[in-house]
């Protein structure tokens, strides 16, 4: 409807663009708390004695406060009693704005690439009073040569040190309750969603499903891939070229999207620093049977970054009747025992036996198992802890600690409140539901978690649900499938860097990509739900932060200091290198400087190091209203250094850019490049196709941003096979079509098939930087071993 060519249509279209664009210039309801070091403000650990206006929350600790007080006395020593009486309060106020939680606004320093002012932004009336009474203090407050040129003229001076928006200058800023009332709290958007940010810490991983640390003082973290590789990352985020563990030959997995088999869990022994033991959980195939295996390994005595692969000892193997619901979590709780979380065996509704595996205490599936692997160098590989709840139950396996579990995916141990230790030792789990509800549980000894009688709070098997002996534990939270269809359990945040998050259980959903948090109400002992979203506008406008992530949230992790991370991917298959590890960041408040310092023990490396290169980008970040411009990050990400905010484009350029994103005409009737490219892709293109040109086609309703990929080579249109087709190749195709990225690399003729076309390209493998698909590796034009039901497709986008 935006493509009308009549003159009134152009007027309506221009009006729409103006209304749409003007929305970007509306001042935000809340300011962007930021200090002059481009970090969030904090609560001073010790009371400030000079800049007392910011004693509760701001950007100065006691050392900085004393430094500013010394500067104040150096300036005021130049004045007699009368001058001191007239100017002391002005000088103190101006100096102390470095401590304001909104210092970045006052000093025009939201953008790390722009120079910081030497004086804060002063409101007109206040500036005039200051100039009339205390003009002689200006050369002592600043050596800025530009201010020196205007300080003799009141109008020029106040215009120079003023801010374009009167709400943002001192002292008006202090009196604006709308702008300051929520300072220090996690910011919420208009829907009440908690706005957090992210920091990219690792990328290029194939379904990263576990991030753990060895608790050995080195602050390394280890990331496991589903294919059976575990990688070592050093505190500077460089990656060791040689994997820590490689059991890819033994691990059973496949490139199928959503395959639940593979390397599923890893845990380091609490005394790893001394015994070098770790435990892994993975799928194997023995003949025609599939099993899960829990094994013990030792790290090499000669290389602390490599496992001795000959040291494997199989602790436990359990037959898997189906290929799904394999569980996969391993962890050591505060009691020092190893906890193993198994799935119910697969298929739908736990159909095994009269009551299913989960309710059958004589089966190891659908359970939380607890075993003692301490001091196992001689004798049995594991023992049964003497207080296991079913130790003396003849109808139960003694390893069982809790039961009634469907498929708990990701569990964690609460470290407890850093000061009171409240909550320490609680085990939180996300249990994946059947077809209606997902749930979060706290695991307790001997308890029944309800499956298959119940799913969440709801009855699933009505006969079992009505059984008075069920005595099941209800989840602390459950959500319906309209919110998400596969819970990914997380962690209770107990890190040092972001005090506002302390006590929040942060988790996600694999299918919907939703991030969520639960917080215990101390009065009611109920868990309050909070939605988590990525910060918009200025919220994440800090160097190094981003506000978007790949949809499929696979797992969460903690580093040795207790900071929180999660892993997600854009293409959920064990062979796609699209997995990224993100650190969760609260942009509203941080810990005081120097409070969270730690000194990692040195790591002796024998492998080459691969420096970390971030690839993710900050999207739709806006500067404050005094900079009315839209900053959009562009591909490739490497074009901009992450430590510097990207420069804004001119208003004309970004108007065109927005029109390009919308794919609409401007007032002159011109079309955006994306729209022009889409027109070229139609069968009735005006310009003749060239070798390598692409078009998108579909048997159902035609949408310009998705379809099967058809390529023009040698005078004919043909199809592309999906053998080896992945998101990098799809990304090349989408950029060739005028979009910024691929949202999905589709396979198996998702958009239908055209049997009249020849197969022109097969085995396409792109690095992602090629100009066209023809520039990528392929089997050769017209050479293939596929059929039309294997046609490749894409879903493209600009966000």
């Amino acid at each position: 409807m935006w493509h009308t060519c009549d003159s009134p249509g152009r007027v309506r279209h221009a009006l729409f663009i103006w209304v749409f664009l003007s929305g970007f210039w509306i001042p935000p309801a809340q300011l962007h708390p930021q200090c002059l070091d481009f970090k969030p403000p904090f609560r001073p650990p010790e009371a400030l004695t000079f800049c007392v206006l910011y004693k509760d929350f701001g950007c100065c600790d006691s050392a900085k406060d004393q430094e500013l007080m010394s500067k104040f006395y150096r300036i005021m020593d130049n004045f007699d009693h009368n001058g001191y009486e007239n100017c002391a309060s002005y000088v103190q106020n101006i100096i102390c704005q470095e401590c304001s939680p909104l210092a970045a606004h006052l000093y025009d320093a939201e953008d790390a690439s722009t120079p910081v002012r030497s004086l804060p932004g002063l409101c007109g009336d206040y500036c005039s009073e200051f100039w009339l009474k205390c003009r002689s203090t200006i050369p002592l407050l600043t050596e800025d040569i530009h201010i020196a040129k205007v300080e003799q003229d009141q109008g020029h001076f106040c215009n120079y040190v003023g801010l374009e928006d009167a709400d943002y200058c001192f002292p008006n800023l202090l009196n604006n309750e709308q702008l300051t009332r929520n300072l220090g709290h996690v910011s919420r958007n208009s829907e009440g969603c908690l706005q957090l940010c992210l920091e990219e810490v690792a990328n290029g991983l194939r379904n990263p499903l576990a991030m753990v640390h060895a608790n050995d003082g080195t602050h390394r973290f280890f990331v496991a891939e589903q294919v059976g590789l575990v990688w070592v990352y050093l505190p500077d985020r460089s990656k060791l070229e040689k994997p820590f563990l490689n059991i890819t030959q033994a691990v059973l997995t496949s490139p199928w999207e959503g395959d639940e088999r593979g390397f599923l869990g890893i845990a380091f022994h609490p005394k790893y620093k001394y015994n070098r033991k770790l435990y892994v959980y993975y799928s194997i195939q023995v003949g025609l049977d599939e099993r899960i295996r829990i094994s013990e390994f030792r790290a090499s005595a000669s290389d602390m970054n490599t496992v001795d692969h000959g040291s494997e000892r199989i602790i436990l193997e359990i037959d898997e009747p189906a290929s799904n619901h394999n569980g996969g979590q391993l962890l050591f709780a505060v009691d020092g025992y190893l906890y193993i979380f198994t799935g119910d065996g697969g298929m739908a509704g736990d159909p095994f036996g009269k009551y299913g595996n989960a309710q059958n205490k004589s089966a190891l599936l659908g359970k939380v198992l607890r075993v003692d692997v301490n001091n196992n160098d001689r004798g049995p590989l594991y023992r049964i802890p003497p207080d296991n709840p079913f130790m003396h139950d003849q109808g139960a396996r003694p390893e069982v600690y809790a039961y009634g579990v469907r498929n708990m995916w990701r569990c964690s141990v609460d470290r407890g409140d850093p000061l009171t230790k409240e909550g320490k030792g609680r085990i939180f789990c996300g249990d994946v539901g059947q077809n209606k509800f997902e749930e979060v549980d706290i695991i307790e000894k001997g308890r029944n978690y309800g499956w298959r009688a119940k799913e969440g709070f709801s009855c699933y098997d009505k006969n079992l649900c009505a059984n008075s002996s069920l005595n099941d534990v209800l989840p602390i939270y459950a959500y319906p499938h309209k919110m998400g269809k596969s819970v990914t359990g997380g962690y209770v945040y107990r890190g040092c860097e972001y005090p506002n998050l302390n006590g929040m259980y942060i988790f996600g959903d694999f299918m919907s990509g939703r991030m969520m948090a639960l917080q215990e109400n101390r009065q009611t002992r109920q868990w309050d739900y909070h939605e988590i979203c990525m910060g918009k506008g200025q919220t994440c406008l800090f160097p190094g932060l981003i506000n978007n992530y790949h949809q499929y949230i696979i797992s969460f992790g903690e580093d040795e200091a207790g900071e929180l991370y999660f892993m997600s991917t854009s293409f959920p298959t064990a062979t796609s290198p699209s997995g990224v590890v993100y650190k969760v960041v609260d942009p509203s408040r941080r810990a005081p400087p120097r409070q969270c310092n730690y000194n990692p023990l040195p790591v002796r490396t024998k492998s080459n190091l691969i420096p970390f290169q971030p690839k993710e980008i900050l999207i739709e970040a806006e500067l404050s209203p005094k900079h009315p411009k839209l900053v959009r990050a562009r591909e490739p990400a490497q074009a901009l250094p992450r430590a510097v905010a990207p420069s804004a484009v001119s208003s004309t350029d970004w108007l065109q850019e927005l029109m390009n994103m919308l794919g609409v005409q401007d007032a002159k009737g011109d079309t955006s490049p994306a729209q022009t490219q889409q027109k070229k892709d139609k069968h009735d293109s005006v310009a003749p196709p060239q070798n390598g040109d692409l078009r998108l086609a579909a048997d159902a309703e035609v949408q310009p941003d998705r379809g099967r990929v058809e390529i023009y080579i040698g005078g004919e249109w043909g199809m592309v096979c999906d053998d080896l087709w992945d998101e990098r190749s799809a990304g090349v195709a989408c950029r060739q079509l005028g979009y910024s990225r691929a949202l999905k690399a589709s396979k198996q003729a998702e958009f239908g098939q055209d049997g009249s076309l020849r197969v022109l390209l097969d085995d396409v493998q792109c690095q992602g930087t090629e100009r066209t698909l023809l520039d990528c590796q392929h089997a050769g034009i017209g050479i293939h071993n596929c059929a039309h039901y294997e046609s490749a497709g894409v879903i493209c986008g600009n966000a």
Side-chain angles (χ1 to χ4, degrees), residues 291-312:
R291 299 177 187 173
I292 53 175
R293 172 184 287 173
I294 292 87
S295 286
E296 176 188 274
F297 285 90
R298 282 183 188 263
S300 168
S302 60
D303 185 352
M304 66 187 302
N305 297 305
T306 304
V307 163
D308 177 0
H309 289 75
S311 67
E312 181 175 15

Side-chain angles (χ1 to χ4, degrees), residues 39 43 165-166 434 445 610 642 694:
K39 295 180 180 179
R43 192 176 302 283
D165 194 311
Q434 179 66 46
K445 182 171 68 175
I610 303 173
R642 291 300 299 134
L694 300 181

